[in-house]
mmCIF file of all heavy atoms in Angstrom:
data_model
loop_
_atom_site.group_PDB
_atom_site.id
_atom_site.type_symbol
_atom_site.label_atom_id
_atom_site.label_comp_id
_atom_site.label_asym_id
_atom_site.label_seq_id
_atom_site.Cartn_x
_atom_site.Cartn_y
_atom_site.Cartn_z
ATOM 1 N N VAL A 27 3.949 12.676 -6.978
ATOM 2 C CA VAL A 27 4.710 12.785 -5.739
ATOM 3 C C VAL A 27 4.415 14.114 -5.060
ATOM 4 O O VAL A 27 4.181 14.194 -3.866
ATOM 5 C CB VAL A 27 6.221 12.641 -6.020
ATOM 6 C CG1 VAL A 27 7.014 12.917 -4.757
ATOM 7 C CG2 VAL A 27 6.528 11.247 -6.531
ATOM 8 N N ALA A 28 4.361 15.185 -5.850
ATOM 9 C CA ALA A 28 4.059 16.493 -5.270
ATOM 10 C C ALA A 28 2.650 16.535 -4.724
ATOM 11 O O ALA A 28 2.392 17.080 -3.652
ATOM 12 C CB ALA A 28 4.244 17.581 -6.327
ATOM 13 N N GLY A 29 1.698 15.943 -5.437
ATOM 14 C CA GLY A 29 0.313 15.967 -4.977
ATOM 15 C C GLY A 29 0.116 15.174 -3.710
ATOM 16 O O GLY A 29 -0.595 15.584 -2.805
ATOM 17 N N LEU A 30 0.773 14.007 -3.592
ATOM 18 C CA LEU A 30 0.566 13.164 -2.426
ATOM 19 C C LEU A 30 1.226 13.711 -1.184
ATOM 20 O O LEU A 30 0.858 13.352 -0.075
ATOM 21 C CB LEU A 30 1.096 11.754 -2.717
ATOM 22 C CG LEU A 30 0.111 10.885 -3.487
ATOM 23 C CD1 LEU A 30 0.812 9.630 -3.970
ATOM 24 C CD2 LEU A 30 -1.058 10.521 -2.622
ATOM 25 N N ALA A 31 2.208 14.577 -1.353
ATOM 26 C CA ALA A 31 2.848 15.139 -0.178
ATOM 27 C C ALA A 31 1.851 15.863 0.706
ATOM 28 O O ALA A 31 2.026 15.973 1.910
ATOM 29 C CB ALA A 31 3.961 16.102 -0.603
ATOM 30 N N LEU A 32 0.759 16.348 0.111
ATOM 31 C CA LEU A 32 -0.262 17.048 0.886
ATOM 32 C C LEU A 32 -0.968 16.134 1.854
ATOM 33 O O LEU A 32 -1.544 16.586 2.822
ATOM 34 C CB LEU A 32 -1.277 17.690 -0.062
ATOM 35 C CG LEU A 32 -0.725 18.763 -0.996
ATOM 36 C CD1 LEU A 32 -1.818 19.181 -1.972
ATOM 37 C CD2 LEU A 32 -0.219 19.964 -0.216
ATOM 38 N N THR A 33 -0.965 14.831 1.594
ATOM 39 C CA THR A 33 -1.697 13.909 2.455
ATOM 40 C C THR A 33 -0.792 13.192 3.440
ATOM 41 O O THR A 33 -1.160 12.178 4.009
ATOM 42 C CB THR A 33 -2.434 12.864 1.600
ATOM 43 O OG1 THR A 33 -1.475 12.119 0.848
ATOM 44 C CG2 THR A 33 -3.420 13.526 0.679
ATOM 45 N N GLY A 34 0.404 13.684 3.639
ATOM 46 C CA GLY A 34 1.270 13.141 4.676
ATOM 47 C C GLY A 34 1.683 11.725 4.392
ATOM 48 O O GLY A 34 2.279 11.416 3.369
ATOM 49 N N THR A 35 1.363 10.803 5.301
ATOM 50 C CA THR A 35 1.876 9.454 5.235
ATOM 51 C C THR A 35 1.298 8.625 4.113
ATOM 52 O O THR A 35 1.656 7.471 3.956
ATOM 53 C CB THR A 35 1.616 8.726 6.569
ATOM 54 O OG1 THR A 35 0.231 8.801 6.843
ATOM 55 C CG2 THR A 35 2.398 9.361 7.692
ATOM 56 N N LEU A 36 0.415 9.162 3.311
ATOM 57 C CA LEU A 36 -0.033 8.415 2.141
ATOM 58 C C LEU A 36 1.111 8.092 1.206
ATOM 59 O O LEU A 36 1.039 7.182 0.395
ATOM 60 C CB LEU A 36 -1.091 9.223 1.376
ATOM 61 C CG LEU A 36 -2.517 9.090 1.887
ATOM 62 C CD1 LEU A 36 -3.404 10.085 1.162
ATOM 63 C CD2 LEU A 36 -3.031 7.690 1.694
ATOM 64 N N LEU A 37 2.222 8.844 1.295
ATOM 65 C CA LEU A 37 3.344 8.592 0.413
ATOM 66 C C LEU A 37 4.070 7.307 0.758
ATOM 67 O O LEU A 37 4.777 6.753 -0.064
ATOM 68 C CB LEU A 37 4.342 9.761 0.505
ATOM 69 C CG LEU A 37 4.088 10.921 -0.454
ATOM 70 C CD1 LEU A 37 5.005 12.078 -0.116
ATOM 71 C CD2 LEU A 37 4.305 10.471 -1.880
ATOM 72 N N THR A 38 3.942 6.845 1.970
ATOM 73 C CA THR A 38 4.674 5.668 2.389
ATOM 74 C C THR A 38 4.405 4.499 1.461
ATOM 75 O O THR A 38 3.268 4.123 1.211
ATOM 76 C CB THR A 38 4.270 5.272 3.823
ATOM 77 O OG1 THR A 38 4.490 6.383 4.667
ATOM 78 C CG2 THR A 38 5.052 4.084 4.304
ATOM 79 N N GLY A 39 5.464 3.894 0.959
ATOM 80 C CA GLY A 39 5.313 2.707 0.139
ATOM 81 C C GLY A 39 5.233 2.972 -1.335
ATOM 82 O O GLY A 39 5.035 2.061 -2.120
ATOM 83 N N CYS A 40 5.378 4.225 -1.815
ATOM 84 C CA CYS A 40 5.350 4.485 -3.247
ATOM 85 C C CYS A 40 6.552 3.833 -3.910
ATOM 86 O O CYS A 40 7.646 3.792 -3.353
ATOM 87 C CB CYS A 40 5.377 5.991 -3.513
ATOM 88 S SG CYS A 40 3.805 6.784 -3.212
ATOM 89 N N THR A 41 6.372 3.316 -5.093
ATOM 90 C CA THR A 41 7.456 2.713 -5.850
ATOM 91 C C THR A 41 7.643 3.469 -7.139
ATOM 92 O O THR A 41 6.789 4.220 -7.571
ATOM 93 C CB THR A 41 7.141 1.240 -6.155
ATOM 94 O OG1 THR A 41 5.929 1.199 -6.908
ATOM 95 C CG2 THR A 41 6.970 0.438 -4.883
ATOM 96 N N SER A 42 8.783 3.252 -7.784
ATOM 97 C CA SER A 42 9.075 3.990 -9.001
ATOM 98 C C SER A 42 8.736 3.213 -10.252
ATOM 99 O O SER A 42 8.741 3.756 -11.339
ATOM 100 C CB SER A 42 10.561 4.365 -9.025
ATOM 101 O OG SER A 42 11.356 3.197 -8.942
ATOM 102 N N GLY A 43 8.478 1.933 -10.142
ATOM 103 C CA GLY A 43 8.157 1.135 -11.309
ATOM 104 C C GLY A 43 6.696 0.783 -11.345
ATOM 105 O O GLY A 43 5.895 1.339 -10.612
ATOM 106 N N PRO A 44 6.297 -0.182 -12.203
ATOM 107 C CA PRO A 44 4.900 -0.615 -12.260
ATOM 108 C C PRO A 44 4.460 -1.125 -10.904
ATOM 109 O O PRO A 44 5.212 -1.799 -10.201
ATOM 110 C CB PRO A 44 4.928 -1.732 -13.316
ATOM 111 C CG PRO A 44 6.147 -1.442 -14.123
ATOM 112 C CD PRO A 44 7.141 -0.843 -13.184
ATOM 113 N N ASP A 45 3.250 -0.794 -10.527
ATOM 114 C CA ASP A 45 2.761 -1.172 -9.203
ATOM 115 C C ASP A 45 2.576 -2.681 -9.121
ATOM 116 O O ASP A 45 1.877 -3.281 -9.922
ATOM 117 C CB ASP A 45 1.421 -0.500 -8.929
ATOM 118 C CG ASP A 45 1.032 -0.674 -7.498
ATOM 119 O OD1 ASP A 45 1.460 0.142 -6.679
ATOM 120 O OD2 ASP A 45 0.307 -1.637 -7.217
ATOM 121 N N PRO A 46 3.212 -3.318 -8.152
ATOM 122 C CA PRO A 46 3.141 -4.776 -8.054
ATOM 123 C C PRO A 46 2.005 -5.232 -7.177
ATOM 124 O O PRO A 46 2.169 -6.123 -6.352
ATOM 125 C CB PRO A 46 4.481 -5.119 -7.398
ATOM 126 C CG PRO A 46 4.719 -3.961 -6.468
ATOM 127 C CD PRO A 46 4.096 -2.761 -7.137
ATOM 128 N N ALA A 47 0.839 -4.608 -7.280
ATOM 129 C CA ALA A 47 -0.214 -4.846 -6.297
ATOM 130 C C ALA A 47 -1.348 -5.688 -6.815
ATOM 131 O O ALA A 47 -2.495 -5.355 -6.617
ATOM 132 C CB ALA A 47 -0.746 -3.522 -5.796
ATOM 133 N N PRO A 48 -1.074 -6.804 -7.493
ATOM 134 C CA PRO A 48 -2.197 -7.648 -7.852
ATOM 135 C C PRO A 48 -2.865 -8.133 -6.583
ATOM 136 O O PRO A 48 -2.193 -8.392 -5.584
ATOM 137 C CB PRO A 48 -1.555 -8.811 -8.623
ATOM 138 C CG PRO A 48 -0.141 -8.815 -8.179
ATOM 139 C CD PRO A 48 0.205 -7.393 -7.888
ATOM 140 N N PRO A 49 -4.160 -8.215 -6.577
ATOM 141 C CA PRO A 49 -4.879 -8.575 -5.357
ATOM 142 C C PRO A 49 -4.648 -10.018 -4.983
ATOM 143 O O PRO A 49 -4.219 -10.823 -5.795
ATOM 144 C CB PRO A 49 -6.343 -8.341 -5.736
ATOM 145 C CG PRO A 49 -6.364 -8.604 -7.198
ATOM 146 C CD PRO A 49 -5.054 -8.116 -7.724
ATOM 147 N N ALA A 50 -4.958 -10.320 -3.754
ATOM 148 C CA ALA A 50 -4.770 -11.688 -3.290
ATOM 149 C C ALA A 50 -5.957 -12.118 -2.468
ATOM 150 O O ALA A 50 -5.866 -12.286 -1.272
ATOM 151 C CB ALA A 50 -3.488 -11.784 -2.463
ATOM 152 N N PRO A 51 -7.108 -12.275 -3.070
ATOM 153 C CA PRO A 51 -8.258 -12.734 -2.285
ATOM 154 C C PRO A 51 -8.123 -14.206 -2.009
ATOM 155 O O PRO A 51 -7.796 -14.956 -2.912
ATOM 156 C CB PRO A 51 -9.445 -12.453 -3.207
ATOM 157 C CG PRO A 51 -8.883 -12.504 -4.585
ATOM 158 C CD PRO A 51 -7.472 -12.053 -4.469
ATOM 159 N N PRO A 52 -8.380 -14.658 -0.829
ATOM 160 C CA PRO A 52 -8.585 -13.859 0.369
ATOM 161 C C PRO A 52 -7.302 -13.749 1.174
ATOM 162 O O PRO A 52 -6.348 -14.471 0.919
ATOM 163 C CB PRO A 52 -9.648 -14.656 1.122
ATOM 164 C CG PRO A 52 -9.389 -16.072 0.711
ATOM 165 C CD PRO A 52 -8.814 -16.042 -0.684
ATOM 166 N N ARG A 53 -7.269 -12.899 2.230
ATOM 167 C CA ARG A 53 -6.071 -12.705 3.031
ATOM 168 C C ARG A 53 -5.888 -13.823 4.037
ATOM 169 O O ARG A 53 -6.815 -14.500 4.432
ATOM 170 C CB ARG A 53 -6.170 -11.387 3.815
ATOM 171 C CG ARG A 53 -5.963 -10.175 3.004
ATOM 172 C CD ARG A 53 -5.941 -8.980 3.928
ATOM 173 N NE ARG A 53 -7.143 -8.943 4.730
ATOM 174 C CZ ARG A 53 -8.260 -8.400 4.300
ATOM 175 N NH1 ARG A 53 -8.325 -7.881 3.117
ATOM 176 N NH2 ARG A 53 -9.319 -8.394 5.069
ATOM 177 N N ASP A 54 -4.645 -13.939 4.500
ATOM 178 C CA ASP A 54 -4.357 -14.836 5.599
ATOM 179 C C ASP A 54 -4.935 -14.245 6.878
ATOM 180 O O ASP A 54 -4.780 -13.056 7.149
ATOM 181 C CB ASP A 54 -2.844 -15.006 5.741
ATOM 182 C CG ASP A 54 -2.496 -15.979 6.859
ATOM 183 O OD1 ASP A 54 -2.497 -17.178 6.588
ATOM 184 O OD2 ASP A 54 -2.242 -15.514 7.983
ATOM 185 N N SER A 55 -5.609 -15.077 7.664
ATOM 186 C CA SER A 55 -6.295 -14.564 8.848
ATOM 187 C C SER A 55 -5.340 -14.189 9.959
ATOM 188 O O SER A 55 -5.749 -13.634 10.963
ATOM 189 C CB SER A 55 -7.292 -15.609 9.358
ATOM 190 O OG SER A 55 -6.617 -16.796 9.709
ATOM 191 N N GLY A 56 -4.069 -14.488 9.779
ATOM 192 C CA GLY A 56 -3.117 -14.175 10.830
ATOM 193 C C GLY A 56 -2.512 -12.796 10.728
ATOM 194 O O GLY A 56 -1.556 -12.491 11.421
ATOM 195 N N VAL A 57 -3.047 -11.934 9.855
ATOM 196 C CA VAL A 57 -2.513 -10.582 9.733
ATOM 197 C C VAL A 57 -2.625 -9.885 11.084
ATOM 198 O O VAL A 57 -3.698 -9.821 11.658
ATOM 199 C CB VAL A 57 -3.290 -9.783 8.666
ATOM 200 C CG1 VAL A 57 -2.813 -8.338 8.654
ATOM 201 C CG2 VAL A 57 -3.075 -10.400 7.296
ATOM 202 N N PRO A 58 -1.508 -9.370 11.628
ATOM 203 C CA PRO A 58 -1.604 -8.686 12.922
ATOM 204 C C PRO A 58 -2.397 -7.409 12.801
ATOM 205 O O PRO A 58 -2.547 -6.851 11.724
ATOM 206 C CB PRO A 58 -0.133 -8.406 13.275
ATOM 207 C CG PRO A 58 0.576 -8.380 11.960
ATOM 208 C CD PRO A 58 -0.153 -9.370 11.084
ATOM 209 N N ALA A 59 -2.882 -6.938 13.941
ATOM 210 C CA ALA A 59 -3.738 -5.755 13.922
ATOM 211 C C ALA A 59 -3.042 -4.557 13.313
ATOM 212 O O ALA A 59 -3.674 -3.684 12.745
ATOM 213 C CB ALA A 59 -4.198 -5.425 15.343
ATOM 214 N N SER A 60 -1.715 -4.485 13.433
ATOM 215 C CA SER A 60 -0.998 -3.335 12.909
ATOM 216 C C SER A 60 -0.369 -3.615 11.551
ATOM 217 O O SER A 60 0.440 -2.840 11.071
ATOM 218 C CB SER A 60 0.099 -2.920 13.896
ATOM 219 O OG SER A 60 0.980 -4.005 14.123
ATOM 220 N N GLY A 61 -0.739 -4.724 10.899
ATOM 221 C CA GLY A 61 -0.061 -5.129 9.685
ATOM 222 C C GLY A 61 -0.689 -4.617 8.409
ATOM 223 O O GLY A 61 -0.308 -5.055 7.330
#
């Protein structure tokens, strides 16, 4: 947490438990440009 503070908004979305980020190939093509 202390190290990432140096990179500003990289901290957004950090969680306190195991990372729930299993990949999902492929993505839905309807992802908005800002999503």
Side-chain angles (χ1 to χ4, degrees):
V27 173
L30 278 169
L32 297 174
T33 61
T35 55
L36 276 172
L37 272 172
T38 304
C40 284
T41 59
S42 58
D45 190 86
R53 285 186 305 275
D54 182 84
S55 61
V57 174
S60 58

